[in-house]
Amino acid sequence: MPFTPAIAEQRFVLDHVARIADLAATERFAGASPDIVDAVLEGVGQFAAGEWAPLNRAGDTDGPKWTEEGVKMPAGYRQAYHDYVEGGWGTIGAPADFGGQGLPFVLASAVLETLGTANMGFALAPTLTVGAIEALLHHGTPAQQAAYLPHLATGAWTGTMNLTEPQAGSDVGALKTRAEPVGDGTYRISGTKIFISFGDHDMADNIVHLVLARTPDAPAGTRGISLFLVPKYRLDADGNPGGFNDVRVMSIEHKMGLHASPTCVLSFGDHNDCIGELIGAENGGMRAMFTMMNNARLNVGLQGVQVGEAATQKAVEFARERIQSARAGSPDKTPVAIIEHPDVRRMLMRMKAQTQAARALVYLAASMVDRADSDEAAKGRLEILTPLAKAHATDLGNEVASLGVQVHGGMGFIEETGAAQFFRDARITPIYEGTNGIQAADLVGRKLGLSNGAAFHALIADMRAEAEDAALRNLIDACDEVGRRLATANADDRLAASYPFLTMLSVAVCGWLMERQGRVAAEGGDDFAAMKRAVAAFYVEQIVPEALGLHAAASAPAASLYALSAHLFAA
């Protein structure tokens, strides 16, 4: 199936959800003129369709290979990544001071969406690099920024995030990697990190690892964690990659999906010769890492959009071509394409609606990144939206990919059709960069109480002011009621309700944005406008009411979850 970039849909959401014209009216983003936005969307669409999409199947079936010299990517990947760098696609949202184009983050997100829809595993390389840029921008020294950011901005060097260890998954405070001062301001790093996406590969001249570690006598737990910049190759006097920095890839994981992305076990300092530089303050690693993590969480939410779009395109194509049975109740018994059958229509409409809802949610959050530096209200809105975008968009990516398999029927269970790959690729997204349960806990534990609830109440007020549909207004009211109650509930009750509440609030936000898009589309007369009206109406009429059914779960105390003692779960 040829990949088709969703340019018209992206532009519509940029205009009417992200409101990119307002960003372009500011001095900072004056370069985001309509013609530039169009050129970026169309250009990356052509590039992704021509170079990244054709490699998707090989990345899934062949995958990267571990060797003693490091990880080798499948045939074609190195050239395609080189062309990505040469085309300047990594520079879209990077700061102009370091060789980037300084365009809005939300436009860079659209670029990354297109690349990831064409080849989701491959797109993890630039995804992690974006996070490394953010960490260095906010916490790096001027010397670190000058040495590393120009190369990361182009993508000539890639970045990684190193948190997880065999004994320390979500409990980051349990990590054991050590950083011993050398005496010249640098540190000798030793330890092992696991689950490192693109921790090694042969596509870039250097790999910049951001590593959490403990200095001697550091406090226990997360309070004693520092962040270090650890390149694969140390820089020589001219700032070029020089000597090997004693960072070795011990193995790559055999995974359920996302095969094009090498997930590495990295060993630092096997020969006591791994040197790192402190980023930010000593024992300030979690603050610095969360700068990178929050950015990465939005980009993982974007992966939900990517896999949803890819799965939907494949399912629609299959449903239009697969001839099977006459339409029920029709006097004409001639078999028809399965897209004519009501249940297949239901699945396809749901796939399109959920994918478009996820895109609207993630683009809205991304647009708040662009506004947050100069707007406190936008900063609060971003805090609220980040766990929603990460968790709900990835849940939807999984739902849509699963429906895609179902539309294909038995052929969806056969690897050769490609529908199963989307299902396998999607499954990691609710897990990494903070599980979706952690996102829900963050929402009720931290985000509801921001500024005494001001950020949450402002979101509710904005949705109420615009929402027209009765069910949508009822859902917004229910979110308000549950949110106010959870703000003062005990910790167990808050956490027990957190996931259904996150889903309720996410659907309310998506419903608000989908209804808005439907109103705008009502003014258009082309095929795209007709599609948007129908899909928006479906979302508001059929998906919004479902979320009201979560009110009971979001209102239930934690007692029911503890009605069984641990051993009784095995009964």
Side-chain angles (χ1 to χ4, degrees):
M1 179 195 77
F3 159 71
T4 303
I7 296 172
E9 165 71 9
Q10 290 175 322
R11 187 59 203 257
F12 190 87
V13 178
L14 286 171
D15 287 342
H16 302 296
V17 173
R19 291 174 168 159
I20 197 168
D22 293 345
L23 293 173
T26 66
E27 181 179 356
R28 179 184 175 190
F29 296 122
S33 60
D35 58 329
I36 292 296
V37 173
D38 288 340
V40 167
L41 296 179
E42 291 168 8
V44 77
Q46 293 172 3
F47 171 74
E51 297 205 40
W52 280 38
L55 297 174
N56 182 57
R57 184 66 176 165
D60 184 55
T61 56
D62 299 339
K65 299 292 189 294
W66 180 90
T67 73
E68 290 186 359
E69 292 76 35
V71 174
K72 306 298 182 183
M73 294 296 292
Y77 273 71
R78 185 169 181 168
Q79 183 62 49
Y81 188 78
H82 173 269
D83 294 342
Y84 160 85
V85 174
E86 288 298 304
W89 297 115
T91 68
I92 300 297
D97 290 346
F98 298 102
Q101 298 185 46
L103 292 168
F105 176 75
V106 69
L107 181 58
S109 297
V111 167
L112 191 55
E113 181 205 327
T114 297
L115 293 168
T117 304
N119 193 324
M120 183 172 157
F122 197 3
L124 257 182
T127 297
L128 271 296
T129 302
V130 170
I133 291 171
E134 284 296 302
L136 284 172
L137 273 176
H138 288 87
H139 304 286
T141 66
Q144 290 168 341
Q145 293 171 349
Y148 289 94
L149 284 178
H151 305 286
L152 289 168
T154 63
W157 298 356
T158 61
T160 73
M161 181 173 7
N162 293 252
L163 291 80
T164 307
E165 299 181 7
Q167 79 293 339
S170 298
D171 182 10
V172 179
L175 68 83
K176 296 179 180 178
T177 298
R178 304 291 296 174
E180 300 281 346
V182 174
D184 60 358
T186 63
Y187 294 76
R188 210 172 294 280
I189 310 298
S190 60
T192 300
K193 297 290 185 178
I194 63 172
F195 300 156
I196 309 305
S197 298
F198 272 93
D200 196 70
H201 57 84
D202 60 354
M203 303 187 303
D205 295 332
N206 209 352
I207 302 174
V208 182
H209 303 293
L210 299 193
V211 182
L212 288 182
R214 294 187 182 282
T215 54
D217 303 319
T222 56
R223 294 185 303 112
I225 293 174
S226 301
L227 181 63
F228 296 88
L229 187 158
V230 184
K232 179 178 179 179
Y233 298 105
R234 298 177 201 168
L235 306 191
D236 62 21
D238 297 322
N240 298 315
F244 181 63
N245 197 26
D246 199 12
V247 180
R248 287 174 171 77
V249 55
M250 307 306 292
S251 64
I252 54 178
E253 303 292 353
H254 300 280
K255 301 174 298 186
M256 176 180 178
L258 220 59
H259 293 158
S261 169
T263 301
C264 300
V265 176
L266 294 183
S267 180
F268 297 86
D270 279 356
H271 295 89
N272 201 34
D273 194 30
C274 180
I275 302 300
E277 301 176 26
L278 185 67
I279 298 176
E282 188 171 345
N283 300 328
M286 290 305 294
R287 178 172 175 268
M289 185 58 80
F290 267 110
T291 300
M292 188 177 185
M293 179 74 83
N294 286 333
N295 178 290
R297 285 173 173 173
L298 292 183
N299 283 333
V300 171
L302 189 66
Q303 289 185 307
V305 182
Q306 295 165 13
V307 75
E309 179 65 35
T312 299
Q313 287 191 20
K314 181 170 281 292
V316 168
E317 181 193 48
F318 181 84
R320 292 177 67 185
E321 294 179 352
R322 173 67 165 164
I323 307 300
Q324 189 79 30
S325 305
R327 184 169 173 179
S330 172
D332 183 355
K333 300 306 179 183
T334 304
V336 296
I338 63 171
I339 198 170
E340 300 300 334
H341 297 303
D343 190 57
V344 175
R345 285 288 180 109
R346 174 191 64 82
M347 290 188 284
L348 293 177
M349 282 291 283
R350 190 174 185 92
M351 293 174 76
K352 289 189 74 70
Q354 295 286 42
T355 299
Q356 291 184 20
R359 181 181 287 110
L361 174 59
V362 175
Y363 278 34
L364 178 65
S367 74
M368 294 301 133
V369 173
D370 294 315
R371 295 175 166 90
D373 285 345
S374 59
D375 184 340
E376 280 299 312
K379 185 176 180 180
R381 181 68 46 94
L382 175 61
E383 292 275 8
I384 289 282
L385 291 176
T386 295
L388 308 187
K390 194 282 177 182
H392 192 61
T394 57
D395 281 347
L396 295 187
N398 275 265
E399 178 189 348
V400 172
S402 180
L403 284 170
V405 173
Q406 191 72 18
V407 169
H408 281 75
M411 294 304 297
F413 204 65
I414 305 301
E415 286 288 349
E416 283 74 11
T417 66
Q421 181 189 341
F422 301 131
F423 189 45
R424 291 185 285 100
D425 286 352
R427 192 59 191 88
I428 186 59
T429 60
I431 297 172
Y432 60 12
E433 305 304 345
T435 67
N436 285 1
I438 288 175
Q439 305 308 310
D442 179 48
L443 174 65
V444 302
R446 293 183 59 249
K447 304 303 175 61
L448 285 183
L450 284 173
S451 303
N452 294 318
F456 171 68
H457 298 312
L459 175 62
I460 293 293
D462 285 352
M463 292 193 292
R464 274 199 181 117
E466 194 175 342
E468 296 176 356
D469 178 79
L472 178 58
R473 295 184 65 84
N474 287 341
L475 178 59
I476 294 167
D477 289 344
C479 289
D480 188 18
E481 179 264 314
V482 173
R484 289 175 185 274
R485 181 164 39 77
L486 292 180
T488 59
N490 66 54
D492 275 353
D493 287 349
R494 256 201 327 270
L495 292 172
S498 62
Y499 211 99
F501 174 67
L502 179 144
T503 304
M504 287 176 65
L505 185 58
S506 298
V507 175
V509 173
C510 290
W512 167 48
L513 300 176
M514 292 294 284
E515 187 184 60
R516 178 195 296 173
Q517 293 177 77
R519 283 196 298 269
V520 174
E523 302 170 6
D526 58 6
D527 288 351
F528 177 80
M531 179 277 293
K532 287 297 291 185
R533 288 194 298 272
V535 172
F538 179 91
Y539 189 92
V540 173
E541 293 168 6
Q542 297 201 30
I543 297 176
V544 165
E546 291 176 7
L548 282 165
L550 294 171
H551 187 271
S555 303
S560 62
L561 303 183
Y562 291 89
L564 290 181
S565 60
H567 79 278
L568 288 179
F569 276 93

